[in-house]
Amino acid sequence: MPQQLTIGLFGFGVVGEGLYKILLQTPTLNAQIKKVVIKHADKIRNAPDELFTTDADELLSDPEINVIVEVINDTDAAFRIVSTALKNGKAVVSASKKMIAENLPKLLLIQEATGAPFLYESAACASIPVIRNLEEYYDNDLLSAIQAIANGSTNFILSRLFDDGISFSEALETAQELGFAETDPTLDVDGHDAAYKLQIILAHAYGIICQQNDFLFSGIRNIGLRDAQYAREKGYQIKLVAQARKLENGGLAAFVLPQFIKSTHPLALVKDEYNGVLIESGFSDQQFFYGKGAGSFPTASAVLSDISALSYNYRYAYKKLAQNKGGLGLSDDYFLSIYLSFEENTPIPLHHFESIEEWHREPGFNYITGRISVKTLWRNELWRQRGQSLILLPDAISDKPSTRRDTLKASLEAFLN
């Protein structure tokens, strides 16, 4: 890679404009934006008019442009841009987590065929350098578990619901007003965004390439004030956690679900639009990373870091992919300890539970806690229905069935039948 980095930028929204402003303040990087592709030419922007074009080929075929930076919201267009740029021998930096997660196998093949570097630090946890650390610091370490608050929008909503006592809809509206959530928040609040990021993390942490339907995931749409009240009474907080953990049976548990977090847990410190990642390894024990997970400059700073890395010819080695040839894979052979709140008169299939610890009933608020297999959760959609809140208990994962007879479960079934 030549020392001079000439950039073709796709997208001038929150992240694109943030990157433009940051590059103006970092002249020592010796990188400049030559052209920016935008969709609407008539929109007023905070940059010279001659910088903009609506013609993608003008950037992709320009021999002077040696770096393409892609920060747009259109997944299909983003893949066309990235794949074309790589095939044209240009280095590429992307922030499109959905595009990367859905197309990573294809992108790996293109990188191998062309030798062009493709970096996407900002696609995992915005300002937190999780991918680079997994690639370099933990390249030969044995990672036992990763837990991540990887979506700033949902963490902001949960913080407001928990700390301010406002409803989910009110918290979502506040997040949208502040620019932390999209007008259509589906990808965030239903867990898709965090699941895309988990897919990317799994590739670099464990060498596992997968799609979203390969693991269990959900969001926070059904979490209510009574769930937050339960958490406060127990000394917990509620977080949407993307996580992976090695099982004793040799597989890997991976999922994205809301979870009660103890006040002593590092993720309990992660508030509002911030992200946090806790890595447990065989050699370095626990390490915690914390930083902003949403906003213009935090995300643009990760893009800038990738651009800077290109100046010294950095590329991902995907070392864990090479180490995991036919080895570790995703498992559904384990149990989760859950809390399930539900509306009165909702039929709860108690026989689906491996064990039951607690049953609470009062007007307007009912919940049950117990252990259930992941296979059962995958098959049973009841807990996804409106009025049902499924939240993991702390230390939720086990790959061993219960060794004791659960008298509470037996007595409840006898009573209800």
Side-chain angles (χ1 to χ4, degrees), residues 95-153:
S96 298
K97 76 281 292 185
K98 183 175 187 288
M99 182 275 292
I100 296 165
E102 291 182 344
N103 295 284
L104 188 54
K106 297 177 184 177
L107 293 167
L108 287 170
L109 290 174
I110 295 172
Q111 290 178 75
E112 184 177 357
T114 65
F118 176 44
L119 305 181
Y120 41 84
E121 186 66 67
S122 61
C125 289
S127 66
I128 300 175
V130 61
I131 297 177
R132 196 85 57 84
N133 274 289
L134 290 172
E135 278 285 313
E136 303 302 324
Y137 188 86
Y138 297 103
D139 58 341
N140 285 295
D141 206 338
L142 306 175
L143 301 183
S144 57
I146 294 177
Q147 293 177 287
I149 295 173
N151 182 272
S153 302

Side-chain angles (χ1 to χ4, degrees), residues 65-340:
I65 292 177
N66 50 22
V67 178
I68 293 293
V69 176
E70 176 278 308
V71 288
I72 64 175
N73 291 324
D74 186 327
T75 299
D76 293 336
F79 179 69
R80 288 194 298 270
I81 291 163
V82 170
S83 58
T84 301
L86 290 172
K87 290 173 183 176
N88 289 350
K90 300 182 187 298
V92 179
V93 174
S94 174
S96 298
K97 76 281 292 185
K98 183 175 187 288
M99 182 275 292
I100 296 165
E102 291 182 344
N103 295 284
L104 188 54
K106 297 177 184 177
L107 293 167
L108 287 170
L109 290 174
I110 295 172
Q111 290 178 75
E112 184 177 357
T114 65
F118 176 44
L119 305 181
Y120 41 84
E121 186 66 67
S122 61
C125 289
S127 66
I128 300 175
V130 61
I131 297 177
R132 196 85 57 84
N133 274 289
L134 290 172
E135 278 285 313
E136 303 302 324
Y137 188 86
Y138 297 103
D139 58 341
N140 285 295
D141 206 338
L142 306 175
L143 301 183
S144 57
I146 294 177
Q147 293 177 287
I149 295 173
N151 182 272
S153 302
T154 53
N155 201 53
F156 179 88
I157 292 168
L158 289 172
S159 294
R160 301 283 62 74
L161 186 149
F162 191 89
D163 294 337
D164 299 342
I166 61 178
S167 67
F168 171 84
S169 58
E170 291 174 309
L172 172 59
E173 185 177 348
T174 301
Q176 291 170 324
E177 290 173 352
L178 294 174
F180 296 141
E182 300 289 342
T183 304
D184 179 2
T186 302
L187 289 180
D188 292 326
V189 300
D190 288 341
H192 294 279
D193 181 82
Y196 291 133
K197 294 170 180 176
L198 179 59
Q199 286 177 248
I200 294 170
I201 288 172
L202 289 174
H204 293 274
Y206 297 103
I208 294 176
I209 304 295
C210 62
Q211 295 298 318
Q212 282 200 4
N213 58 7
D214 293 331
F215 57 83
L216 192 65
F217 75 94
S218 186
I220 65 168
R221 191 182 292 273
N222 293 338
I223 293 177
L225 291 173
R226 298 303 293 269
D227 302 318
Q229 178 183 334
Y230 172 91
R232 279 192 291 270
E233 290 173 355
K234 299 290 186 179
Y236 301 151
Q237 295 189 37
I238 304 173
K239 303 294 182 182
L240 182 65
V241 185
Q243 56 188 301
R245 182 172 292 277
K246 282 187 176 180
L247 302 169
E248 291 185 21
N249 62 24
L252 186 78
F255 50 84
V256 176
L257 292 170
Q259 185 165 11
F260 293 122
I261 299 295
K262 295 178 181 178
S263 59
T264 54
H265 194 284
L267 292 183
L269 302 172
V270 184
K271 299 283 190 177
D272 297 326
E273 73 273 22
Y274 282 80
N275 282 183
V277 180
L278 180 68
I279 297 177
E280 300 178 31
S281 75
F283 303 143
S284 54
D285 199 6
Q286 288 191 345
Q287 291 183 304
F288 179 58
F289 302 84
Y290 173 84
K292 280 200 172 183
S296 175
F297 288 149
T299 307
S301 69
V303 175
L304 179 73
S305 175
D306 281 345
I307 295 171
S308 176
L310 291 173
S311 69
Y312 53 87
N313 299 312
Y314 180 77
R315 69 187 64 226
Y316 299 141
Y318 297 100
K319 298 172 186 176
K320 292 297 174 73
L321 283 177
Q323 296 169 13
N324 192 40
K325 294 287 187 182
L328 185 66
L330 297 183
S331 172
D332 62 0
D333 187 18
Y334 60 97
F335 299 89
L336 291 174
S337 296
I338 68 168
Y339 154 103
L340 179 67

Side-chain angles (χ1 to χ4, degrees), residues 318-371:
Y318 297 100
K319 298 172 186 176
K320 292 297 174 73
L321 283 177
Q323 296 169 13
N324 192 40
K325 294 287 187 182
L328 185 66
L330 297 183
S331 172
D332 62 0
D333 187 18
Y334 60 97
F335 299 89
L336 291 174
S337 296
I338 68 168
Y339 154 103
L340 179 67
S341 68
F342 50 92
E343 295 176 344
E344 200 166 359
N345 300 321
T346 300
I348 301 298
L350 296 180
H351 62 282
H352 286 170
F353 282 80
E354 193 265 344
S355 65
I356 292 174
E357 303 299 328
E358 185 179 6
W359 177 288
H360 177 89
R361 301 180 73 171
E362 66 176 86
F365 185 50
N366 304 271
Y367 70 81
I368 189 171
T369 66
R371 292 213 314 171

